[in-house]
């Protein structure tokens, strides 16, 4: 990996006080237990772990951090790890290994035991992997070193993009993060608004909804963010909210008559810090569609209900959920963290970003069958840099467009 910050974002580390073989415990010593990063292949999986992470944690820890000598890998067909079988032992200093004998399209669950003579073994978190053949993909747009395509949204006809960048096109200077549009090949770049984020196209492709802080005044709780709409025909921007709340991530309904968005406004006075609000674009009336204390992130319409990334205040696990008449339930079972759902046009698949394989990758969930497909992760340079800045677009029912590594836009068949 190119820098330590990225490495630290890709690996979760478990540190424990270590039981000595004689039964004593050395409280100021911890055995370094890496969680593997899983890369997929055809009938095989590739596991990697990082010495750089060990060095960083050793520098910042108040404990003495000890390297393991050996990592023993276990594979299970079930997420709870029952009937897990030991498949290989590897010297920690090898930093990688490949396991074979898997079945394409079938999920497997992997954890490791970190071992060192004189210390008790320590178990890592479990990761999920689904081996597959690499599918067809194409890089359709690539920016420069200082040009990014964050939060990229593709127009319904596939000819235009809206995206966020902090590069002022034309003079080469950095500035505030701003909203741009361009042709799908990157030509005809137009700045739409400064201090603006999270674009979403209307179903007919004539409007772009987005979040904006432009013109807002800091009221002591940061700059309020409003929901606005840009008319592609008239180039007119209309702010749809005008309050002191933080309103994020707008998404159009299928008929284009409503917007769903995330907000810290609480219309029902329930003490929630994050809610799903819907906005009628004809009357500008609002309705709160959430009640329990949960973070509702990146809401999108799913027929008359909503899909969203969510997190309860009592759990560190983010999930993708379904919301119906104020009731929430798990829609996709999460073994780790799932983010940014995107629904296929036929509503049969959900694409999302997940770190369930030890690193943030693009996944697809088949709603009817419950099957998972890992779309990226065939190469160590394939990873989603930051889920908050990566939006997955469906071009048709089997083709995705998304940003990889900030400035590379891929078209990927599933």
């Amino acid at each position: 990996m190119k820098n330590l910050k990225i490495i630290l974002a890709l690996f979760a580390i478990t540190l424990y006080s270590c039981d000595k073989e004689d039964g004593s415990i050395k409280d100021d010593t911890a055995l370094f237990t890496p969680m593997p990063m899983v890369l997929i292949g055809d009938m095989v999986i590739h596991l990697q772990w990082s010495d750089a992470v060990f060095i960083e944690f050793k520098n910042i820890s108040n404990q003495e951090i000890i390297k393991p000598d050996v990592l023993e890998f276990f594979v299970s067909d079930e997420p709870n790890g029952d009937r897990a079988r030991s498949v290989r032992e590897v010297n920690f200093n090898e930093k990688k290994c490949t396991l074979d004998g898997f079945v394409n399209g079938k999920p497997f669950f992997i954890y490791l035991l970190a071992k060192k003579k004189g210390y008790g073994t320590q178990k890592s978190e479990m990761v999920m992997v689904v081996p597959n053949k690499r599918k067809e993909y194409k890089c359709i747009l690539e920016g420069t070193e200082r040009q990014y395509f964050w939060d990229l949204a593709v127009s319904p006809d596939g000819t235009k993009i809206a995206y966020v960048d902090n590069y002022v096109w034309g003079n080469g200077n950095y500035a505030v993060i701003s909203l741009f549009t361009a042709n799908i090949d990157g030509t005809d770049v137009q700045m739409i608004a400064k201090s603006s984020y999270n674009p979403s196209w209307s179903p007919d492709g004539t409007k772009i909804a987005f979040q904006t802080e432009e013109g807002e005044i800091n009221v002591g709780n940061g700059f309020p963010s409003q929901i606005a709409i840009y008319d592609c025909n008239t180039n007119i921007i209309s702010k749809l909210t005008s309050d002191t709340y933080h309103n994020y991530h707008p998404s159009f309904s299928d008929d284009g008559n409503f917007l769903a968005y995330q907000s810290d406004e609480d219309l029902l006075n329930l003490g929630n810090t994050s809610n799903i609000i819907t906005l009628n674009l004809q009357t500008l009336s609002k309705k709160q569609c959430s009640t329990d204390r949960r973070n509702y992130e990146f809401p999108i319409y799913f027929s008359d209900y909503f899909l969203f990334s969510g997190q309860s205040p009592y759990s560190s696990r983010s999930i993708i959920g379904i919301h119906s008449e104020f009731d929430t339930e798990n829609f996709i079972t999460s073994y780790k963290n799932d983010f940014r759902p995107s629904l296929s046009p036929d509503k049969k698949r959900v694409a999302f970003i997940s770190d369930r394989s030890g690193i943030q990758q693009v996944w697809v969930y088949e709603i009817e069958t419950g099957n998972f497909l890992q779309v990226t992760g065939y190469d160590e340079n394939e990873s989603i840099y930051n889920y908050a800045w990566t939006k997955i677009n469906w071009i048709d029912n089997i083709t995705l467009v998304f940003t990889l590594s900030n400035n590379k836009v891929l078209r990927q068949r599933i």
Side-chain angles (χ1 to χ4, degrees):
M1 293 298 166
K2 295 182 179 179
N3 60 62
L4 188 56
K5 289 184 178 180
I6 295 178
I7 293 174
L8 292 174
L10 303 184
F11 291 85
I13 308 301
T14 306
L15 300 176
Y16 298 89
S17 296
C18 299
D19 298 337
K20 301 287 285 184
E21 282 189 337
D22 61 6
S24 63
I25 298 177
K26 189 175 180 181
D27 291 331
D28 60 347
T29 302
L31 188 63
F32 176 76
T33 310
M35 184 179 71
M37 178 183 73
V38 183
L39 302 175
I40 60 175
D42 184 8
M43 311 290 285
V44 301
I45 61 172
H46 310 283
L47 306 172
Q48 298 185 10
W49 52 97
S50 172
D51 204 35
V53 182
F54 166 78
I55 295 171
E56 178 69 13
F57 273 79
K58 184 167 183 165
N59 289 339
I60 65 175
S61 177
N62 294 324
Q63 292 180 295
E64 181 183 2
I65 309 299
I66 305 297
K67 282 185 181 181
D69 293 327
V70 173
L71 303 178
E72 183 179 6
F73 290 93
F74 290 79
V75 175
S76 174
D77 296 331
E78 301 293 336
N80 55 19
D82 290 348
R83 299 186 300 278
R85 57 193 182 278
S86 174
V87 291
R88 188 169 178 182
E89 281 195 354
V90 181
N91 187 293
F92 174 82
N93 291 326
E94 291 185 29
K95 301 299 182 295
K96 63 176 62 177
C97 71
T98 296
L99 305 179
D100 56 19
F102 294 91
V103 177
N104 283 351
K106 180 180 177 180
F108 295 90
F109 303 88
I110 297 173
Y111 66 88
L112 62 83
L113 294 182
K115 299 180 178 181
K116 186 175 182 65
K117 187 175 181 180
Y119 294 85
T121 59
Q122 302 297 340
K123 183 179 178 180
S124 74
E125 294 184 50
M126 183 168 286
V127 295
M128 175 182 178
V129 59
V130 182
N132 283 292
K133 279 189 174 182
R134 180 187 288 271
K135 302 297 192 301
E136 176 188 347
Y137 80 95
K138 181 180 180 181
C139 180
I140 60 174
L141 185 60
E142 188 166 7
T144 65
E145 184 178 349
R146 295 174 60 189
Q147 181 184 24
Y148 304 131
F149 297 104
W150 292 326
D151 221 359
L152 181 138
V154 181
S155 64
D157 64 3
T159 63
K160 294 279 189 178
I161 56 173
Y163 64 96
V164 173
D165 196 0
N166 64 348
Y167 181 75
V168 178
W169 176 74
N171 61 22
N173 295 319
Y174 280 90
V176 296
I177 292 177
S178 302
L179 176 64
F180 296 83
T181 61
N183 294 329
I184 191 69
D185 61 1
T187 60
D188 191 25
V189 177
Q190 304 290 331
M191 179 185 284
I192 303 303
K194 295 181 179 179
S195 302
S196 298
Y197 326 83
N198 304 311
S200 176
W201 290 88
S202 63
D204 63 4
T206 63
K207 297 179 178 63
I208 301 172
F210 60 97
Q211 162 199 347
T212 183
E213 298 171 1
E214 188 172 19
E216 298 296 314
I217 299 174
N218 191 331
V219 293
N221 189 29
F223 287 91
S225 54
Q226 310 299 345
I227 301 300
I229 280 188
Y230 170 73
D231 190 309
C232 301
N233 295 324
T234 65
N235 300 326
I236 293 175
I237 294 175
S238 303
K239 285 189 178 181
L240 305 181
T241 59
S242 58
D243 44 49
T244 59
Y245 300 105
H246 301 92
N247 304 303
Y248 310 94
H249 309 128
S251 176
F252 279 94
S253 60
D254 291 344
D255 59 12
N257 293 327
F258 292 85
L259 284 174
Y261 61 94
Q262 175 188 349
S263 178
D264 58 10
E265 182 176 10
D266 191 350
L267 299 172
L268 302 178
N269 298 314
L270 297 170
N272 292 351
T273 58
S274 179
N275 287 296
I276 295 177
I277 307 290
T278 59
L279 182 68
N280 185 314
L281 294 179
Q282 303 300 318
T283 65
L284 297 186
S285 59
K286 299 177 184 177
K287 178 183 177 181
Q288 182 172 322
C289 300
S290 55
T291 58
D292 60 336
R293 302 198 61 161
R294 180 188 295 271
N295 287 329
Y296 296 87
E297 301 174 335
F298 313 108
I300 61 170
Y301 277 90
F302 181 24
S303 298
D304 295 330
Y305 309 128
F306 307 96
L307 293 178
F308 56 90
S309 304
Q311 185 177 19
S312 73
Y314 309 106
S315 173
S316 60
R317 176 180 295 168
S318 296
I319 62 170
I320 294 177
I322 186 169
H323 184 280
S324 170
E325 296 298 325
F326 298 141
D327 294 324
T328 58
E329 63 182 8
N330 287 3
F331 186 71
I332 296 178
T333 302
S334 178
Y335 305 101
K336 291 187 63 61
N337 299 300
D338 299 332
F339 313 97
R340 301 221 70 168
S342 180
L343 191 64
S344 63
D346 62 7
K347 295 181 170 43
K348 292 184 177 181
R349 299 176 180 89
V350 178
F352 61 102
I353 298 168
S354 180
D355 65 356
R356 61 181 62 208
S357 64
I359 181 175
Q360 290 180 9
Q361 303 284 5
V362 176
W363 289 70
V364 168
Y365 174 70
E366 300 274 353
I367 296 175
E368 293 181 359
T369 66
N371 293 334
F372 289 93
L373 173 70
Q374 187 173 337
V375 177
T376 60
Y378 298 91
D379 182 272
E380 66 179 23
N381 294 318
E382 288 184 358
S383 63
I384 301 302
Y385 177 71
N386 187 326
Y387 75 88
W389 289 111
T390 303
K391 185 174 184 177
I392 306 172
N393 300 264
W394 290 88
I395 300 302
D396 54 42
N397 292 318
I398 59 171
T399 309
L400 303 174
V401 171
F402 53 89
T403 304
L404 192 72
S405 304
N406 282 335
N407 63 355
K408 184 181 294 185
V409 179
L410 297 187
R411 179 189 287 124
Q412 173 79 60
R413 292 174 62 87
I414 63 171

